[in-house]
Amino acid sequence: MTLRSQEKTALPALVVGAGPVGLYAAFQLGMRGVRPVIVDSLSFAGGQLAALYPEGVIEDAPGAGPVSAGALAARLEAQLAPFRPLRLYGRRATALWGGLEGGFNLETETGETITGAAVIFAGGAGAMRPKRLVAEGVAAVSADAIRYDGAVGRDARAVAVVGEGPAAIDAALAAAPGARRVTLIHALPLRANEERAARLAAAAGSGLDIFQGAVERLRAEGGRLETVEARGEAGSRAFDADLLLVEAGLEYAGRGLTGLAPVADAATGETEVPGVFAIGGGREVVGGAGYLAAGFADALRAAEAAAARLAPPAPRAHARRFEIA
């Protein structure tokens, strides 16, 4: 797709990575009249911090004080909203090519090609995706019966949830009111704060089944999921299910972004390809260190430099020369 904007530049700027640093870079682009397009392999904003540690406290976010990763992502999204960013989430960027003259092309694993006037890479050590379930029979189950985004369809009657973190518990609690039966299967001890643990205990008393063990096998008929089999210390059990929600954490989605050159300008993060910048954790991939507070500073400088690349400041008028007779 080729995207045009009505801001100061004919093309938007592309931001790869919707973590805190990427979101702040997009905000700074908007402040400078450049519409941002944000591409991320995950289906939500916040990056690895929000996905892995949504309730973890972040101490070094400028001006925010101690804040959870999830809350920080929400604040940055709200701050960015007035600039009408285009969010292309659930798409892993795979290749980058082009230049300032004709624009940069960013290819995704979905087959799209997105064109932008500049690129800011804030993708950290690489794209992440929800960890896939490894068990016998997975290949025989239709894709819509195994979900990695926590979405529960209206027709789901029996739901099994796999995972032990807050996302898995929340998915089970969300599915409980509408499903006939919900089973939470966790291989490791559950991780829940007091409030979430209390809600889970109440739901368990109302029919939500909790089983500690590992999923071994899925049974399906004509692609339709029928049974989830798990084994734990208490033995093996089979649970009826027509929908399986997998909330087992993240894994690297594959090789990194091809076409990303090393950083040439340490001050702005601009790479050896003019118009392409690497910031935050992304600088660790192409040379440099990245921390959250430093990442925000990187984002500011990169956005400022990118905007200058796209709309160079007008040259100053020469001072008039006066001669005294």
Side-chain angles (χ1 to χ4, degrees):
M1 66 179 71
T2 299
L3 302 167
R4 302 278 173 178
S5 75
Q6 301 301 316
E7 279 73 13
K8 291 181 179 180
T9 58
L11 289 172
L14 310 180
V15 178
V16 180
V21 172
L23 294 176
Y24 190 63
F27 167 73
Q28 288 296 337
L29 287 169
M31 288 284 287
R32 288 159 176 78
V34 181
R35 188 186 182 194
V37 174
I38 311 170
V39 182
D40 197 283
S41 60
L42 298 177
S43 60
F44 52 86
Q48 297 180 36
L49 280 176
L52 297 175
Y53 316 105
E55 297 173 354
V57 177
I58 296 173
E59 302 282 356
D60 62 341
V67 61
S68 71
L72 178 61
R75 291 184 191 181
L76 290 167
E77 282 268 80
Q79 183 184 44
L80 177 58
F83 301 111
R84 303 182 300 109
L86 179 62
R87 300 172 176 88
L88 300 179
Y89 295 165
R91 296 165 167 86
R92 181 170 69 91
T94 57
L96 173 68
W97 72 95
L100 285 170
E101 290 297 323
F104 293 96
N105 299 295
L106 185 69
E107 185 176 338
T108 71
E109 64 181 350
T110 60
E112 298 165 309
T113 299
I114 308 157
T115 303
V119 179
I120 297 179
F121 178 76
M128 305 291 287
R129 69 176 183 182
K131 186 179 294 183
R132 269 38 184 176
L133 178 68
V134 178
E136 183 181 338
V138 170
V141 181
S142 63
D144 59 353
I146 302 180
R147 302 297 299 265
Y148 295 90
D149 58 2
V152 180
R154 294 181 179 179
D155 297 332
R157 297 182 301 277
V159 180
V161 182
V162 176
E164 52 277 328
I169 297 171
D170 289 346
L173 292 172
R180 172 177 54 82
R181 177 176 182 178
V182 176
T183 304
L184 175 60
I185 303 171
H186 60 102
L188 300 174
L190 292 173
R191 303 192 307 273
N193 57 24
E194 291 185 6
E195 183 271 337
R196 188 175 278 109
R199 291 173 56 206
L200 186 62
S206 302
L208 187 148
D209 197 2
I210 302 174
F211 179 78
Q212 183 166 359
V215 174
E216 289 191 324
R217 183 180 298 105
L218 305 183
R219 297 194 181 276
E221 182 66 35
R224 184 171 61 87
L225 179 64
E226 293 186 343
T227 306
V228 177
E229 298 180 4
R231 177 183 294 275
E233 292 184 0
S236 297
R237 286 186 60 183
F239 303 95
D240 293 338
D242 52 32
L243 176 65
L244 178 62
L245 304 180
V246 181
E247 296 285 356
L250 300 178
E251 63 185 5
Y252 283 104
R255 65 178 185 175
L257 178 66
T258 61
L260 185 64
V263 170
D265 185 345
T268 65
E270 190 167 34
T271 69
E272 293 175 356
V273 178
V276 177
F277 302 80
I279 63 173
R283 297 186 68 163
E284 297 177 359
V285 180
V286 291
Y291 302 94
L292 185 57
F296 283 116
D298 289 347
L300 172 61
R301 291 191 294 264
E304 187 175 51
R309 280 284 193 191
L310 304 182
R316 292 184 178 180
H318 292 291
R320 294 179 61 187
R321 182 178 180 181
F322 295 91
E323 293 185 4
I324 300 176

